[in-house]
Amino acid sequence: MARAISVHHGSFGRATLYELDRPLTTHAHREGHLIFYLGGPDASATINGDRYAISKTEAVAISPWEPHSFEPSPCGQKHFVLTLYIKPMWFLENSQSAEFSLGFGTPQVRVTPTVEMWIGRLTSILLDDQPSERFDGFLFETTRQCVDQTWKSAKSRPLLRNMQLKFNDFRVRRSLRLMQERFAEETAMDDLAREVGLSRPHFFKLFKMQMGITPNLYLNTLRTEHAIDELVTTDKSITDIGLDLGFASQASFTRFFTSNVGIPPTDYRRVAHFV
């Protein structure tokens, strides 16, 4: 059974310590995402269709909106991982040299002695489960080390081209606004495509080209983000949160949340707090 050990929310985003023993379905985040091995057998993540190792010597870096999944190896054994979700604007505001708000040159990160040191410091604070004024600084340095390393090993810099492509088409911009307004409703993609003046195939192709993910994954991201916010900022029951998001039952909402976040919503709420 997957288990949340510690979850910290803050202006930076969120940081978690998980024990995972099952795959996570393909999903995405608006934050930059780092996954570090802490114990157990090696694991891997599939990012944009390619698999990357998560081990003592290798971590993975996932840029905002990149589709990815987590695969335990072998499935059923416990994997102890540190996962960071870093808000792009927070990273940019704290960086004096960031070329972009947040993006990684390559998905694979070498766990150098310096990176290992920062991982250890973050993990210690999370395990202590006490607020620390040093946490944001530790997290920023961990992220900066990884960003710098991945760009040094990148063969090219496609991120600028991707940033220039995004939001160029007014129909994609309109679809984003409609999904943000209706993420709690049952949204038929055929109807959404028709509202923005496109056929379903053309809409999916254009959306994927500009956002890097499918409309369905984008909608799931919005629902997951809202669920997490409700869990940590309100006293609503799990059932009510699920119903508000359009799920027919607590069980269906729990399945959705677990497959996208890694742990059930009850466990997330139990350990999550702001720092």
Side-chain angles (χ1 to χ4, degrees), residues 80-146:
F80 187 28
V81 295
L82 166 67
T83 62
L84 307 178
Y85 307 82
I86 307 101
K87 293 180 179 178
M89 285 308 299
W90 176 88
F91 182 73
L92 181 62
E93 289 166 358
N94 284 275
S95 175
Q96 297 180 354
S97 60
E99 185 172 351
F100 307 106
S101 58
L102 184 60
F104 300 100
T106 61
Q108 197 79 72
V109 176
R110 289 181 298 107
V111 181
T112 63
T114 302
V115 171
E116 185 177 20
M117 176 190 71
W118 291 115
I119 293 170
R121 291 181 178 181
L122 285 173
T123 302
S124 294
I125 294 175
L126 288 166
L127 286 173
D128 189 42
D129 210 27
Q130 294 294 325
S132 172
E133 60 185 17
R134 298 181 178 181
F135 190 85
D136 281 29
F138 290 173
L139 186 140
F140 175 78
E141 283 301 322
T142 305
T143 307
R144 186 182 66 81
Q145 287 285 332
C146 294

Side-chain angles (χ1 to χ4, degrees), residues 2 4 9 31 54 84 100 114 164 182 194 201 224 240 268:
H9 284 253
E31 302 94 348
I54 303 171
L84 307 178
F100 307 106
T114 302
Q164 290 170 335
R182 305 174 185 175
R194 189 161 42 250
T224 301
D240 285 344
Y268 194 97

Side-chain angles (χ1 to χ4, degrees), residues 20-23 40-44 51 70-79:
L20 297 175
D21 61 357
R22 66 188 68 182
D42 294 349
S44 63
R51 181 168 289 194
F70 175 85
E71 292 89 29
S73 178
C75 188
Q77 293 196 30
K78 298 288 187 182
H79 301 263

Side-chain angles (χ1 to χ4, degrees), residues 160-172:
L160 179 59
R161 182 180 63 82
N162 292 342
M163 293 295 288
Q164 290 170 335
L165 280 173
K166 277 188 179 181
F167 310 120
N168 278 351
D169 193 287
F170 72 95
R171 293 162 296 187
V172 173

Side-chain angles (χ1 to χ4, degrees), residues 37-264:
Y37 167 97
L38 295 178
D42 294 349
S44 63
T46 297
I47 304 168
N48 279 322
D50 296 319
R51 181 168 289 194
Y52 299 91
I54 303 171
S55 67
K56 291 180 181 179
T57 58
E58 296 170 300
V60 293
I62 304 158
S63 297
W65 297 116
E66 280 193 313
H68 60 281
S69 59
F70 175 85
E71 292 89 29
S73 178
C75 188
Q77 293 196 30
K78 298 288 187 182
H79 301 263
F80 187 28
V81 295
L82 166 67
T83 62
L84 307 178
Y85 307 82
I86 307 101
K87 293 180 179 178
M89 285 308 299
W90 176 88
F91 182 73
L92 181 62
E93 289 166 358
N94 284 275
S95 175
Q96 297 180 354
S97 60
E99 185 172 351
F100 307 106
S101 58
L102 184 60
F104 300 100
T106 61
Q108 197 79 72
V109 176
R110 289 181 298 107
V111 181
T112 63
T114 302
V115 171
E116 185 177 20
M117 176 190 71
W118 291 115
I119 293 170
R121 291 181 178 181
L122 285 173
T123 302
S124 294
I125 294 175
L126 288 166
L127 286 173
D128 189 42
D129 210 27
Q130 294 294 325
S132 172
E133 60 185 17
R134 298 181 178 181
F135 190 85
D136 281 29
F138 290 173
L139 186 140
F140 175 78
E141 283 301 322
T142 305
T143 307
R144 186 182 66 81
Q145 287 285 332
C146 294
V147 170
D148 290 349
Q149 182 195 130
T150 61
W151 280 117
K152 286 178 182 177
S153 59
K155 295 180 180 179
S156 62
R157 288 180 173 246
L159 185 59
L160 179 59
R161 182 180 63 82
N162 292 342
M163 293 295 288
Q164 290 170 335
L165 280 173
K166 277 188 179 181
F167 310 120
N168 278 351
D169 193 287
F170 72 95
R171 293 162 296 187
V172 173
R173 293 199 303 270
R174 175 165 168 73
S175 72
L176 293 174
R177 185 173 70 253
L178 290 173
M179 282 191 276
Q180 288 163 2
E181 292 172 353
R182 305 174 185 175
F183 67 87
E185 304 172 12
E186 186 173 343
T187 303
M189 289 301 163
D190 287 345
D191 294 340
L192 183 61
R194 189 161 42 250
E195 282 194 66
V196 300
L198 295 169
S199 66
R200 179 188 173 98
H202 190 188
F203 172 55
F204 269 67
K205 181 179 180 180
L206 188 62
F207 194 98
K208 178 72 181 293
M209 181 181 72
Q210 296 209 355
M211 292 300 296
I213 59 174
T214 65
N216 304 87
L217 279 180
Y218 183 83
L219 196 59
N220 285 345
T221 300
L222 295 181
R223 287 173 171 160
T224 301
E225 289 177 345
H226 184 78
I228 289 173
D229 185 63
E230 294 282 274
L231 288 168
V232 298
T233 63
T234 75
D235 294 324
K236 286 184 180 178
S237 68
I238 304 299
T239 299
D240 285 344
I241 293 173
L243 291 175
D244 288 346
L245 284 170
F247 291 93
S249 66
Q250 179 177 332
S252 60
F253 169 59
T254 296
R255 283 194 298 272
F256 168 83
F257 191 91
T258 303
S259 66
N260 282 275
V261 179
I263 58 172

